[in-house]
Amino acid sequence: MKKVVLAYSGGLDTSIIIPWLKENYGYEVIAMAADLGQGEELEPLREKAIKTGAGKIYIEDVKEEFVRDYIFPTLRAGAVYEGKYLLGTSFARPLIAKKLVEIAKKEGAVAVAHGATGKGNDQVRFELTVKALAPELEIIAPWRLWNIKSREQAVDYAQARNIPVPVTKARPYSMDRNIWHLSHEGADLENPANEPKEDVLVMITPPEKAPDIPTYVELNFEKGNPTAVNGKKMGPVEIVETLNQIAGANGVGIIDMVENRLVGMKSRGVYETPGGTVLVLAHQELELLTLDRMTLHYKQLIAQRYAELVYEGVWFHPLREAIDAFVDVTQQTVTGKVRMKLYKGNCTPAGITSPYSLYNEEFVTFGEDKVYNQKDAEGFINLFGLPLKVRALMKKKAGLE
C-alpha cells in the first residue's frame, strides 16, 4: 500500500482529511504532528489520529529548533509584516513541512498532504518547502479537491464519521497555536467592523483586567539574540515561555489587523503574541542605541523584504539566506540590557545599556561641552542645502515662481 504523510494538528481540517485520504486514494495515512509549543493540544493526538484511521503517528518535538533557527533569525532581522504581524504562523509552516519531508523519506511515502485551504497562505508555505526539499513527492491538498465548501460542512463531515473536533458551529474560529503566538480567524472576525469578543483571548489577559501597577522586565541580548530574563540566563524556549506568561498577564501582545494575503485577498485576524511583542520592541530599542544611522536605516529596508519572504513561504530561498548573512554582521554589536515597562497592554522602554552604545552624552548635552563646535553646523547646512539653493535660483531665473 502506498503511503502519504499528513501534516496533522488534530484540528477540524486534518481530522477529517485522514478518512478522506483513505476513502479517495486508498493510501496508508501516516500522521505527523510538530510540537511547536501548543501545550495541552498535543496530548490527545496520538490516540485520536489512530482512532480516526491513521496507520501511524509521529509527534516531533521541534520547539528548540523552531525558536533558535526560525524565530530568533526573524527577530534579529527585525521582520514584521505590514508593520504589525509578527509572523507566528508564517515561519512555523516551513519547519512543519521540513519535518513532513523527513518522515516521508523515512517511511518511503509517495506523497505528503496538508489541511491548508485554497484561499490561504499556508498552502503556499507548505508546498514551496516541499518543492525546495523533495520535488519528487506528490502533494495532496484536499481543500482544493473535495466537495466540502465551508467549515460548517466540515463539521457535518466529521460528525457523520463520529470524529470529535475542537470546533463547533457555535464557535467556528480557525486557530493556530505555537510557542510564539495564537491566531484567530473566521466567524464574527471576518467583519472588520466587529470588535473581537473578550472570550477570543486565550494567552493574554484583557488589558482592562490586567494589574493596576506596571511590571518591569529586563532582557539581556548578545549579538541580537535574547539570552536572559530578569538576570536569569535561559535557553531560547524558556525565554519565550517566560515572557509569554509575564506579558500575557499584563495584557501585552494583542494584534488585530486586516492583512494582505499572498493569494490576493485581504483577511482579518486577531493574533496573541505576548512574549514576542516584548522581544521585538526590546530588540528595536537596543538597535537604536548600537547601530549607526546608515546601517540602521538600510537594515529597516531589508527587514521589510525579509518579512515578505517569510510571509510568502520562501524560507528556503537563497535571498533569505543572503539577508541572514547581512543581518549577522549588523548584530555583532547588538549586545546589552533593555528594561521594558508593561502596563495594561502597553510595552514601553524603561532604560537601555550596552558596551557598544553609540550614544555619547558629551556630544548631545544641552550643557556646555568641549567636543562640538556649533559653528561647524553652518558649513554643513550650506553644503547639504546647496542643491535646494541652486534649484531655487534656477526657478527664479526661468520665471517659474
Side-chain angles (χ1 to χ4, degrees):
M1 185 181 295
K2 292 182 178 180
K3 298 178 181 179
V4 56
V5 183
L6 169 66
Y8 182 70
S9 67
L12 173 60
D13 297 338
T14 58
S15 293
I16 64 175
I17 285 174
I18 292 177
W20 185 87
L21 286 170
K22 295 178 70 175
E23 293 169 11
N24 290 273
Y25 284 79
Y27 290 174
E28 177 187 354
V29 180
I30 298 171
M32 193 289 297
D35 181 359
L36 297 160
Q38 301 94 310
E40 69 281 356
E41 294 179 15
L42 290 169
E43 293 179 10
L45 291 196
R46 195 175 303 277
E47 180 181 357
K48 182 177 180 180
I50 301 302
K51 283 186 176 181
T52 309
K56 186 186 296 185
I57 180 171
Y58 288 84
I59 298 180
E60 302 288 290
D61 186 348
V62 294
K63 293 191 293 293
E64 186 78 19
E65 182 179 359
F66 182 41
V67 179
R68 183 191 64 235
D69 297 341
Y70 293 77
I71 292 178
F72 281 4
T74 306
L75 172 68
R76 290 196 300 270
V80 178
Y81 185 68
E82 297 188 334
K84 296 180 75 173
Y85 177 43
L86 302 187
L87 300 165
T89 297
S90 304
F91 47 41
R93 297 315 189 224
L95 176 54
I96 295 172
K98 175 173 175 278
K99 295 301 173 182
L100 202 64
V101 167
E102 291 175 1
I103 299 301
K105 290 181 177 180
K106 179 179 178 181
E107 289 286 340
V110 298
V112 294
H114 62 77
T117 74
K119 289 185 176 181
N121 301 305
D122 284 342
Q123 58 182 336
V124 182
R125 297 161 182 159
F126 281 129
E127 296 181 32
L128 290 186
T129 300
V130 174
K131 290 179 185 298
L133 302 180
E136 71 280 3
L137 286 173
E138 177 188 2
I139 301 172
I140 303 173
W143 270 105
R144 303 201 300 256
L145 300 169
W146 60 21
N147 294 322
I148 298 172
K149 303 299 182 183
S150 67
R151 295 187 66 77
E152 289 77 15
Q153 290 180 14
V155 171
D156 291 338
Y157 184 96
Q159 291 175 345
R161 289 159 179 76
N162 296 315
I163 299 172
V165 292
V167 176
T168 65
K169 293 180 181 179
R171 184 182 169 84
Y173 293 119
S174 175
M175 297 185 292
D176 177 71
R177 183 169 188 167
N178 58 48
I179 193 173
W180 188 247
H181 89 160
L182 173 58
S183 66
H184 310 269
E185 294 180 331
D188 57 296
L189 297 179
E190 290 184 351
N191 185 345
N194 292 333
E195 181 181 9
K197 297 176 182 177
E198 189 174 288
D199 63 359
V200 167
L201 300 177
V202 176
M203 299 176 67
I204 298 175
T205 300
E208 60 270 22
K209 294 184 178 180
D212 293 329
I213 57 174
T215 296
Y216 290 87
V217 60
E218 185 179 83
L219 304 173
N220 287 66
F221 287 85
E222 293 181 11
K223 295 185 177 181
N225 285 318
T227 57
V229 178
N230 292 331
K232 180 183 177 183
K233 285 194 173 183
M234 301 178 182
V237 172
E238 188 180 2
I239 286 175
V240 177
E241 290 178 338
T242 300
L243 290 174
N244 278 341
Q245 294 175 359
I246 297 173
N250 285 276
V252 171
I254 303 170
I255 300 164
D256 184 354
M257 69 179 292
V258 175
E259 69 196 56
N260 287 292
R261 284 184 181 174
L262 178 59
V263 294
M265 68 187 74
K266 289 184 181 289
S267 66
R268 194 271 188 94
V270 174
Y271 302 99
E272 299 181 64
T273 318
T277 297
V278 178
L279 285 170
V280 167
L281 293 177
H283 182 264
Q284 288 176 354
E285 293 300 325
L286 189 56
E287 284 194 329
L288 288 170
L289 188 71
T290 58
L291 296 186
D292 66 273
R293 179 173 63 91
M294 292 179 67
T295 302
L296 176 67
H297 289 184
Y298 192 75
K299 183 174 181 292
Q300 289 173 339
L301 297 176
I302 292 293
Q304 180 176 337
R305 187 68 186 109
Y306 197 102
E308 292 170 351
L309 291 172
V310 177
Y311 189 85
E312 293 168 1
V314 284
W315 182 271
F316 294 99
H317 193 286
L319 178 55
R320 198 271 307 168
E321 295 170 356
I323 295 177
D324 271 343
F326 165 78
V327 171
D328 286 343
V329 173
T330 70
Q331 299 300 289
Q332 295 306 303
T333 59
V334 185
T335 295
K337 294 180 181 179
V338 184
R339 192 167 181 246
M340 302 297 288
K341 179 181 179 180
L342 315 181
Y343 181 67
K344 290 189 177 297
N346 295 296
C347 182
T348 54
I352 321 167
T353 60
S354 171
Y356 304 109
S357 171
L358 295 177
Y359 180 89
N360 191 316
E361 192 172 350
E362 285 188 89
F363 282 96
V364 301
T365 180
F366 283 98
E368 183 180 356
D369 70 84
K370 298 179 180 179
V371 296
Y372 187 89
N373 187 346
Q374 297 196 29
K375 291 182 179 179
D376 292 342
E378 182 178 354
F380 163 75
I381 294 171
N382 286 336
L383 294 177
F384 190 64
L386 185 58
L388 295 175
K389 182 177 181 179
V390 170
R391 184 171 184 271
L393 291 172
M394 175 275 295
K395 289 174 67 177
K396 184 176 183 181
K397 183 177 180 181
L400 297 177
E401 291 187 339

